[in-house]
mmCIF file of all heavy atoms in Angstrom:
data_model
loop_
_atom_site.group_PDB
_atom_site.id
_atom_site.type_symbol
_atom_site.label_atom_id
_atom_site.label_comp_id
_atom_site.label_asym_id
_atom_site.label_seq_id
_atom_site.Cartn_x
_atom_site.Cartn_y
_atom_site.Cartn_z
ATOM 1 N N ILE A 52 -48.634 -71.039 -143.042
ATOM 2 C CA ILE A 52 -47.266 -71.692 -143.457
ATOM 3 C C ILE A 52 -47.443 -72.972 -144.075
ATOM 4 O O ILE A 52 -48.093 -73.869 -143.486
ATOM 5 C CB ILE A 52 -46.369 -71.794 -142.190
ATOM 6 C CG1 ILE A 52 -46.211 -70.396 -141.584
ATOM 7 C CG2 ILE A 52 -45.029 -72.393 -142.678
ATOM 8 C CD1 ILE A 52 -45.134 -69.580 -142.138
ATOM 9 N N ARG A 77 -40.205 -74.006 -132.589
ATOM 10 C CA ARG A 77 -40.840 -74.580 -131.427
ATOM 11 C C ARG A 77 -41.979 -75.439 -131.710
ATOM 12 O O ARG A 77 -42.219 -76.546 -131.046
ATOM 13 C CB ARG A 77 -41.338 -73.388 -130.476
ATOM 14 C CG ARG A 77 -40.352 -72.750 -129.658
ATOM 15 C CD ARG A 77 -40.940 -71.540 -128.834
ATOM 16 N NE ARG A 77 -42.019 -71.945 -128.064
ATOM 17 C CZ ARG A 77 -41.890 -72.481 -126.843
ATOM 18 N NH1 ARG A 77 -40.634 -72.656 -126.354
ATOM 19 N NH2 ARG A 77 -42.853 -72.903 -126.140
ATOM 20 N N LEU A 78 -42.858 -75.055 -132.673
ATOM 21 C CA LEU A 78 -44.030 -75.859 -133.020
ATOM 22 C C LEU A 78 -43.528 -77.169 -133.618
ATOM 23 O O LEU A 78 -44.051 -78.227 -133.200
ATOM 24 C CB LEU A 78 -44.903 -75.080 -133.960
ATOM 25 C CG LEU A 78 -45.555 -73.802 -133.490
ATOM 26 C CD1 LEU A 78 -46.448 -73.191 -134.568
ATOM 27 C CD2 LEU A 78 -46.282 -74.020 -132.217
ATOM 28 N N GLY A 81 -42.415 -79.671 -131.029
ATOM 29 C CA GLY A 81 -43.433 -80.333 -130.168
ATOM 30 C C GLY A 81 -43.496 -79.582 -128.823
ATOM 31 O O GLY A 81 -44.105 -80.098 -127.874
ATOM 32 N N ALA A 154 -14.367 -79.469 -120.485
ATOM 33 C CA ALA A 154 -15.423 -80.327 -120.117
ATOM 34 C C ALA A 154 -15.982 -80.052 -118.654
ATOM 35 O O ALA A 154 -17.291 -80.166 -118.453
ATOM 36 C CB ALA A 154 -14.836 -81.765 -120.122
ATOM 37 N N ILE A 171 -24.706 -76.778 -129.272
ATOM 38 C CA ILE A 171 -24.696 -77.475 -130.588
ATOM 39 C C ILE A 171 -24.355 -78.962 -130.345
ATOM 40 O O ILE A 171 -25.027 -79.857 -130.819
ATOM 41 C CB ILE A 171 -23.733 -76.860 -131.585
ATOM 42 C CG1 ILE A 171 -24.264 -75.491 -132.064
ATOM 43 C CG2 ILE A 171 -23.568 -77.701 -132.863
ATOM 44 C CD1 ILE A 171 -23.217 -74.679 -132.811
ATOM 45 N N VAL A 176 -25.670 -84.710 -129.912
ATOM 46 C CA VAL A 176 -25.162 -85.956 -129.299
ATOM 47 C C VAL A 176 -25.994 -87.142 -129.430
ATOM 48 O O VAL A 176 -25.566 -88.327 -129.439
ATOM 49 C CB VAL A 176 -24.668 -85.600 -127.809
ATOM 50 C CG1 VAL A 176 -25.831 -85.429 -126.926
ATOM 51 C CG2 VAL A 176 -23.711 -86.668 -127.247
ATOM 52 N N GLU A 222 -25.624 -65.654 -146.350
ATOM 53 C CA GLU A 222 -24.488 -66.454 -146.890
ATOM 54 C C GLU A 222 -24.540 -67.791 -146.275
ATOM 55 O O GLU A 222 -24.398 -68.805 -146.953
ATOM 56 C CB GLU A 222 -23.176 -65.732 -146.616
ATOM 57 C CG GLU A 222 -21.998 -66.451 -147.236
ATOM 58 C CD GLU A 222 -20.668 -65.699 -147.001
ATOM 59 O OE1 GLU A 222 -20.422 -64.760 -147.844
ATOM 60 O OE2 GLU A 222 -19.969 -66.095 -146.169
ATOM 61 N N ARG A 230 -32.399 -75.750 -149.736
ATOM 62 C CA ARG A 230 -33.385 -74.846 -150.056
ATOM 63 C C ARG A 230 -33.292 -73.705 -149.075
ATOM 64 O O ARG A 230 -32.901 -73.868 -147.920
ATOM 65 C CB ARG A 230 -34.769 -75.430 -149.881
ATOM 66 C CG ARG A 230 -35.525 -75.605 -151.146
ATOM 67 C CD ARG A 230 -36.947 -76.014 -150.860
ATOM 68 N NE ARG A 230 -37.178 -77.224 -150.000
ATOM 69 C CZ ARG A 230 -38.210 -77.491 -149.436
ATOM 70 N NH1 ARG A 230 -39.328 -76.626 -149.528
ATOM 71 N NH2 ARG A 230 -38.287 -78.587 -148.577
ATOM 72 N N VAL A 233 -37.418 -67.713 -147.361
ATOM 73 C CA VAL A 233 -37.319 -66.382 -146.858
ATOM 74 C C VAL A 233 -38.654 -66.094 -146.140
ATOM 75 O O VAL A 233 -39.715 -66.195 -146.769
ATOM 76 C CB VAL A 233 -37.141 -65.396 -147.996
ATOM 77 C CG1 VAL A 233 -36.981 -63.993 -147.434
ATOM 78 C CG2 VAL A 233 -35.865 -65.812 -148.747
ATOM 79 N N ILE A 241 -44.307 -67.265 -145.235
ATOM 80 C CA ILE A 241 -43.139 -67.456 -146.197
ATOM 81 C C ILE A 241 -43.369 -66.452 -147.331
ATOM 82 O O ILE A 241 -44.345 -66.344 -148.035
ATOM 83 C CB ILE A 241 -43.254 -68.886 -146.736
ATOM 84 C CG1 ILE A 241 -42.938 -69.870 -145.627
ATOM 85 C CG2 ILE A 241 -42.270 -69.132 -147.839
ATOM 86 C CD1 ILE A 241 -43.064 -71.341 -145.938
#
Side-chain angles (χ1 to χ4, degrees):
Chain A
I52 304 278
R77 277 176 61 79
L78 296 184
I171 293 169
V176 73
E222 185 177 279
R230 244 191 310 161
V233 181
I241 295 176

